[in-house]
Amino acid sequence: MITKLFPWIDKLFRETDRAHIRRTKNIRLIPDFKNRRGGKLSYAEWAHVIGIFQTIIYQNLKQKSGNKILDIGCGTGLLGISSEPFVSDNGEYTGIDIMTEDVDFCKEHYKSDNYKFIHLDVANPTYASDQSIILKSWPIRDESQDLVTALSVWTHMSETDAIFYFTEIHRVLKKGAKAMITFFLLDEEYENSLNKRSDQPGRFHFTTQNGWIFDLSAYNSENWFTLKTAKHPEDAIAITKEGLRILQEKSGLKLVNYYPGNWKEIPGVFFQDILIFEK
């Protein structure tokens, strides 16, 4: 009964809660329950994650306002909300997504003149299986962006797609600009966690510890792996350290910072690993 009533309760709560926001203006933009996606449905978790990424964006931008930020796989706008302070003063936020539904929602929900959203007609077996199988460049000018962001996007890309779009990051970034990309990185901390895992909920999350063991090659790749439980490899994809090296070698991007995720059963800033790259 409560589950069925939750969308109504959520609407009432959000409208009441907005009236009490004092020092975190941009969370007024958090969508309603039915439009909170990306593995995070709770209003509180959206607010929490928005704050995490707003902090990391601040730490990694040279200038704090007037930025051009490109958000790949924007979904229903979580990183768009995190980005709002940093595109003030004539900056611009651009969200790109392969899901038409999410792009349509964002166009209606985020009304600011310096926000725009673009649908990319590219297929993904998990999210848009009926779209074009031909990889397409983003409709963004070369060397025009101060920051590229992607929350849980490369965790749904095959090796071929991941390499292609990493070179796109390099193309659109200004020289010296950065990219903030989340991954499941199969490094030493991951390997060290394997003999400690169980079928219990994680130490720092509520999903199953053993649910995040990437031991099946994704499309016969040596460095891109998926879960045995995945219907499609793109449901969840992790990369090895060698895979990460390949991405950097092919794109010309340099890894400059790394925030390990708590999916590895260690304390972390966020669930997935957050990696910062520089052009």
Side-chain angles (χ1 to χ4, degrees):
M1 183 65 176
I2 293 295
T3 301
K4 291 181 180 180
L5 287 174
F6 188 80
W8 178 83
I9 295 170
D10 178 70
K11 182 178 186 296
L12 180 64
F13 165 78
R14 282 184 304 108
E15 292 177 356
T16 304
D17 189 73
R18 282 194 186 109
H20 295 279
I21 294 172
R22 294 292 180 269
R23 299 187 176 103
T24 317
K25 183 178 180 181
N26 50 328
I27 64 168
R28 76 195 186 285
L29 296 170
I30 293 176
D32 58 6
F33 174 76
K34 70 178 182 179
N35 288 300
R36 295 199 293 268
R37 291 188 273 281
K40 294 167 286 296
L41 299 180
S42 161
Y43 179 96
E45 190 161 20
W46 263 66
H48 173 68
V49 175
I50 287 164
I52 289 171
F53 283 98
Q54 183 171 327
T55 300
I56 294 174
I57 290 171
Y58 177 87
Q59 291 173 340
N60 288 282
L61 280 174
K62 292 180 181 178
Q63 60 186 33
K64 305 309 179 187
S65 63
N67 291 283
K68 289 190 174 181
I69 297 178
L70 174 63
D71 184 17
I72 304 305
C74 64
T76 53
L78 191 150
L79 291 187
I81 299 172
S82 298
S83 297
E84 187 185 40
F86 312 113
V87 297
S88 59
D89 301 332
N90 300 315
E92 183 178 66
Y93 167 90
T94 302
I96 293 180
D97 205 286
I98 62 173
M99 295 184 65
T100 306
E101 176 187 6
D102 286 355
V103 172
D104 289 345
F105 168 79
C106 287
K107 287 179 178 179
E108 180 64 27
H109 185 71
Y110 302 98
K111 298 293 191 179
S112 175
D113 291 339
N114 63 345
Y115 271 53
K116 66 178 182 180
F117 298 91
I118 299 169
H119 174 250
L120 189 69
D121 180 22
V122 172
N124 179 282
T126 299
Y127 292 104
S129 60
D130 59 344
Q131 296 186 161
S132 173
I133 61 172
I134 300 171
L135 298 178
K136 296 180 178 67
S137 294
W138 302 322
I140 304 295
R141 288 190 300 107
D142 294 359
E143 299 187 332
S144 62
Q145 302 299 305
D146 297 292
L147 179 70
V148 172
T149 63
L151 173 55
S152 195
V153 177
W154 267 260
T155 56
H156 301 287
M157 283 190 187
S158 67
E159 180 174 1
T160 300
D161 293 10
I163 292 171
F164 178 86
Y165 284 110
F166 235 64
T167 63
E168 279 290 279
I169 295 175
H170 186 276
R171 179 183 68 81
V172 302
L173 281 178
K174 297 176 182 177
K175 187 175 180 179
K178 292 179 180 176
M180 180 185 71
I181 316 295
T182 71
F183 285 91
F184 292 118
L185 180 61
L186 306 181
D187 57 7
E188 292 85 356
E189 287 168 313
Y190 167 74
E191 295 294 336
N192 291 339
S193 77
L194 293 178
N195 62 4
K196 303 174 185 176
R197 291 173 180 261
S198 71
D199 289 326
Q200 297 300 310
R203 294 179 63 203
F204 308 104
H205 56 88
F206 282 119
T207 54
T208 306
Q209 296 175 31
N210 283 337
W212 301 103
I213 297 177
F214 292 87
D215 52 2
L216 181 65
S217 172
Y219 301 110
N220 298 313
S221 171
E222 294 181 0
N223 294 296
W224 270 252
F225 288 83
T226 188
L227 309 172
K228 287 181 179 177
T229 56
K231 180 179 179 181
H232 306 287
E234 287 85 353
D235 290 356
I237 286 183
I239 67 170
T240 65
K241 289 179 67 177
E242 175 62 14
L244 178 61
R245 187 197 66 77
I246 291 170
L247 288 179
Q248 293 179 85
E249 180 184 78
K250 297 286 188 181
S251 67
L253 295 172
K254 178 176 67 174
L255 180 66
V256 295
N257 208 346
Y258 170 39
Y259 305 81
N262 65 35
W263 73 281
K264 292 173 174 170
E265 298 305 315
I266 59 174
V269 172
F270 179 58
F271 180 68
Q272 295 180 9
D273 305 312
I274 305 170
L275 280 66
I276 309 296
F277 300 89
E278 184 175 82
K279 178 175 177 177

